[in-house]
């Protein structure tokens, strides 16, 4: 019996990936912050069996999870050309999240990248290869499991999708942006206001597919491509005002796509909009550079630099928490080191 483990973080996109084609290829590039406190920890144990197949046992936070197990099995079958080393092994995988299970925080980026990192470590063990895991390969294989997971393997910020100003950018895998990011963004906070902890009524898988034939799709992809190039410049020069413009416009456009798809749907709630209004009012009155972004759900991510931390925390406590489910929020920051 031998075991490997990995920790992989969640990420929050500033330019959003929404719409895909082919084998999990994005219809536009996306850029995200890698988070440090919201992560998945995965332990993989393997022992030899006498067959040339493999078996899989999966536990999520100590309990069987048939839904997640099925997802992993499908992933391993669909991508079997990369996982030949599993032959002849009994595999036990145990996974847990650092954030509350019922917080409504999407965990597939963290969980799928943690799984892939474990599998790649196992491959190295089987092949007696002592070189470190190739993060580009980890990103590519994570993408095949869950698109946004491609970005979770790098610290600070990552770009997934080909864009003219970054020569090694690709639709196949994400690339790290840490070397070009102004220090101000490396200290960013993401305080996640939990408006609802219910499972989403429409999954991201369905949401992506509703972009096919969407009347505003081409315009959306063009805006996202332009915002990617704008954001790369902003990240280099540290222009927080333009960062705020891009982040908020991207968040609202993501939800506009949902509102105008066929059938239309909405994931934001009354309190999501209330919090957005309060953030904008507060910024206007105080000049504290806090802004919001949204994932595919009702929770509001408040983004701000470290030197605004005390003020924003006070604002959250006094004005925002009353609109959160059970006064719940997750206090996260950008991750600056690779944990793997
Ligand atoms: O990785 P998926 O297929 O769950 O899609 C994620 C899409 C968004 O979270 C809404 C945006 C993004 O770029 O992360």
């Amino acid at each position: 019996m031998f075991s490997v483990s990995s920790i992989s973080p969640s990420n929050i996109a500033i330019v959003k990936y929404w719409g895909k084609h082919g084998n999990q290829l994005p219809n536009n590039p996306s850029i995200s912050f890698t988070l440090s406190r919201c992560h998945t920890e995965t332990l993989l144990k393997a022992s030899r069996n006498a067959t040339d197949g493999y078996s899989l046992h999966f536990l999520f936070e100590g309990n069987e999870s048939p839904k997640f197990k099925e997802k992993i099995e499908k992933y391993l079958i669909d991508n079997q050309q990369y996982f030949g080393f599993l032959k002849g092994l009994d595999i036990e995988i145990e996974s847990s999240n650092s954030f509350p299970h019922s917080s409504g925080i999407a965990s597939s980026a963290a969980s799928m990248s943690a799984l892939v990192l474990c599998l790649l470590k196992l491959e190295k063990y089987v092949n007696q290869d002592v070189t470190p895991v190739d993060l580009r390969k980890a990103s590519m294989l994570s993408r095949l499991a869950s698109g946004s997971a491609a970005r979770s393997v790098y610290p600070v910020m990552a770009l997934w999708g080909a864009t003219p100003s970054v020569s090694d950018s690709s639709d196949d895998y994400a690339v790290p942006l840490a070397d070009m990011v102004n220090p101000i963004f490396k200290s960013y906070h993401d305080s996640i206001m939990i408006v609802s902890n219910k499972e989403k009524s429409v999954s991201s898988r369905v949401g992506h597919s509703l972009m096919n034939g969407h009347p505003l799709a081409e315009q959306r992809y063009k805006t996202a491509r332009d915002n990617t190039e704008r954001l790369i410049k902003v990240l280099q020069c540290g222009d927080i005002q333009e960062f705020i413009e891009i982040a908020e416009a991207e968040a609202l456009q993501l939800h506009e796509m949902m509102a105008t798809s066929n059938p239309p749907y909405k994931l934001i709630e009354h309190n999501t909009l209330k919090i957005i209004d309060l953030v904008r009012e507060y910024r206007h009155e105080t000049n504290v550079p806090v802004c919001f972004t949204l994932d595919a759900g009702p929770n509001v991510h408040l983004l701000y630099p470290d030197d605004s931390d005390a003020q924003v925390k006070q604002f959250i406590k006094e004005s925002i928490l009353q609109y959160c489910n059970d006064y719940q929020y997750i206090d996260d920051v950008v991750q600056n080191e690779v944990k793997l």
Side-chain angles (χ1 to χ4, degrees), residues 11 13 15-18 30 108 146-148 151 204 208 254 295-296:
N11 67 70
V15 176
K16 311 290 181 182
Y17 147 62
W18 200 240
S30 56
S108 70
S146 168
S148 56
R151 300 183 307 242
S204 288
H208 285 292
L254 171 69
D295 215 334

Side-chain angles (χ1 to χ4, degrees), residues 21 45 97 123 161 179 182 210 235 244 253 310 312 316 340:
H21 64 278
K45 294 183 200 155
N97 288 342
E123 179 180 34
D179 286 350
N182 186 290
L210 289 174
L235 294 176
I244 291 173
Q253 202 170 80
V312 176
I316 289 173
L340 294 189

